[in-house]
Amino acid sequence: MTAIGIISIDNYDDVIDKLDDKESSYLNTLITSVISDWASEHEVYYRRINAERHLFIAREADIEQMKTQKFDLLATFKNKARERELLLTMSMGIAYGQASLKEIGEVAQDNLDLALIRGGDQVVVKDADPMSRPQFFGGDSDATIKRTRVRSKAMSTALKRVLLENDKIFVMGHRFPDMDALGASFGIACFAKLIHKKCWVIINPEEVTPELQRGLREIEQYPELSSQLITSEEALELLDNKSLLVMVDYHRPSMSISQKVYDAFEKIVVIDHHRRGEEYPAKPLLNYIEASASSASELVAELLEYQLNSETRISKFVATMMLAGMYVDTKNFTFRSSARTFDIASFLKSQGADESKVQYLLSSDLDSYLEMSELISTCQNIAPGIVYAMGKENKIYGKVTTAKAADTLISMIGVKAAFVITRQDEEVIGISARSSGKVNVQKIMEALGGGGHFTNAATKILGESLEKVEEMLLNEVKQIEIE
């Protein structure tokens, strides 16, 4: 079968802008020679489309050979770029099958888009058959910042247009939402208010963590905000053909607070900062996934910024919740924080975000702290620099407690990756995974049915014992390569 592949040089524009003409010429020669040598080795037809895009045509057998070599072109190119002190990586989208060449080419482009959305430095391979599943290779570098102010402003305008086309806006985060999901949800509600649209935030009272409960109690002091909180049953009653669902801080339908609510909507918008996985809404009206962003609150605050003028402001408490969401996902701005992150934090401060209230919203109670300490005391080594801790089989731990235990372990000197395994209810075992940047914990969690970021990921496993999940985790960790 014929295979079509598209190669993209990640972050090419950002790097080339900083080089003079001579260095730019050397870089383009390097890119062309590395790809050309690789194409010759595999005897595939290759052509350069432009400076950052390349096309090749091969047979399915050639692709299978590339798979056995784990697409070593990515590592070769990254090493060559490092020798020249350039932060460049490469991504590929490859498709093959019995479909027409036009369809195969379109799937190859979709696969490349998926590779880029997941953070780049990886290959996505998929048969053109709609029922086939993609295969992922690479992904050994953290996401580079690809969004620009021009793109963010364009997305803000696009979101405004989509919201204006509908009468009722519903916002929903993931199950057992954290402060980032709550802050981003109310950020979208604030966006809707600016354009005079009705908006509700869906919450499940039975899936509210103690940490989030503190935030919900604060919301009760603001009648305008508390009136926007509704249950999934209330949302289904309000739903009509002019309604829109905005998914924030997640993109996998199975993680929705209510699957019934998700299934009831035909029009969907996705705003997320996690690397995109295989599960995804079929045809969202608007897709804004930026794996380089620190949090969903950062993305939403940036979209909001372009809708404000000298006469409009964000509610001070909404700004506080979004800042708290950024604190949660950046571990107090120590992880995944870029210059854009601090710009947005500054913007939220200018809108009245209260840091003292942020600290209150995120503070731990004594029982949670003692549970976290208990988990950390069970820490064991898997490999040099990789550790894991495990709760008791007959004890249920809060999701936030598990996550904070993992955060604490990764802050220790010499720890490159940390995993914490706990029982989250009678049928569910959860794993929180953290990395210092040397290990891609997202790939490990994806192999166990979860996902997340390069340095921050998690999964839930149903119907297994702690010991079985421990065995599954150890087997996956042993297969990774550590720098």
Side-chain angles (χ1 to χ4, degrees), residues 226-341:
S226 61
S227 66
Q228 293 178 309
L229 283 170
I230 61 172
T231 64
S232 56
E233 291 77 13
E234 291 171 323
L236 290 171
E237 291 177 3
L238 291 167
L239 178 66
D240 59 27
N241 60 1
K242 293 289 287 182
S243 297
L244 172 76
L245 176 66
V246 182
M247 299 166 62
V248 296
D249 200 30
Y250 80 111
H251 61 266
R252 296 168 60 185
S254 62
M255 292 179 64
S256 297
I257 285 176
S258 168
Q259 188 69 40
K260 285 185 178 179
V261 169
Y262 172 82
D263 292 339
F265 279 87
E266 294 183 0
K267 292 176 283 187
I268 291 174
V269 168
V270 180
I271 300 175
D272 191 17
H273 68 115
H274 297 96
R275 291 192 181 201
R276 180 176 156 182
E278 180 184 345
E279 186 186 356
Y280 192 71
K283 294 180 180 179
L285 296 179
L286 186 65
N287 163 21
Y288 192 34
I289 295 183
E290 290 289 352
S292 62
S294 72
S295 56
S297 292
E298 177 184 328
L299 288 176
V300 172
E302 191 171 37
L303 295 175
L304 265 171
E305 187 176 12
Y306 292 109
Q307 298 301 320
L308 300 180
N309 54 47
S310 58
E311 298 177 357
T312 54
R313 292 179 66 84
I314 303 174
S315 157
K316 290 183 178 180
F317 189 65
V318 171
T320 299
M321 285 193 289
M322 285 194 284
L323 185 60
M326 293 176 67
Y327 266 80
V328 166
D329 277 23
T330 61
K331 312 299 177 287
N332 298 334
F333 297 99
T334 58
F335 284 93
R336 299 185 54 76
S337 299
S338 66
R340 300 291 291 280
T341 306

Side-chain angles (χ1 to χ4, degrees), residues 124-166:
V124 178
V125 183
K126 181 180 177 296
D127 191 300
D129 183 348
M131 301 303 294
S132 67
R133 301 179 63 178
Q135 294 176 277
F136 303 101
F137 300 85
D140 296 322
S141 296
D142 204 353
T144 53
I145 297 175
K146 297 179 179 66
R147 77 186 196 277
T148 63
R149 293 191 182 278
V150 173
R151 171 168 161 75
S152 298
K153 187 174 183 179
M155 294 303 299
S156 181
T157 302
L159 177 61
K160 179 179 179 180
R161 186 186 68 250
V162 171
L163 296 186
L164 284 171
E165 291 172 353
N166 295 275

Side-chain angles (χ1 to χ4, degrees), residues 40-104:
S40 297
E41 176 189 345
H42 290 280
E43 297 184 334
V44 302
Y45 179 79
Y46 147 78
R47 277 294 175 267
R48 177 175 178 267
I49 300 173
N50 56 41
E52 57 180 316
R53 287 289 170 100
H54 303 255
L55 174 76
F56 68 87
I57 299 174
R59 299 167 301 175
E60 184 187 5
D62 298 323
I63 304 303
E64 292 301 324
Q65 183 185 7
M66 295 172 192
K67 288 181 184 178
T68 62
Q69 297 175 357
K70 296 183 178 180
F71 292 91
D72 55 359
L73 173 62
L74 272 64
T76 300
F77 178 72
K78 185 162 56 177
N79 292 334
K80 294 280 187 182
R82 280 179 180 173
E83 290 173 6
R84 294 175 179 261
E85 298 182 350
L86 298 171
L87 296 175
L88 277 176
T89 55
M90 180 184 292
S91 296
M92 288 191 216
I94 301 173
Y96 54 85
Q98 300 289 353
S100 68
L101 291 178
K102 179 178 181 293
E103 291 173 314
I104 293 173

Side-chain angles (χ1 to χ4, degrees), residues 184-200:
S185 295
F186 274 97
I188 293 297
C190 186
F191 194 115
K193 179 185 175 183
L194 289 172
I195 57 175
H196 311 291
K197 288 293 180 179
K198 295 179 181 178
C199 185
W200 294 271

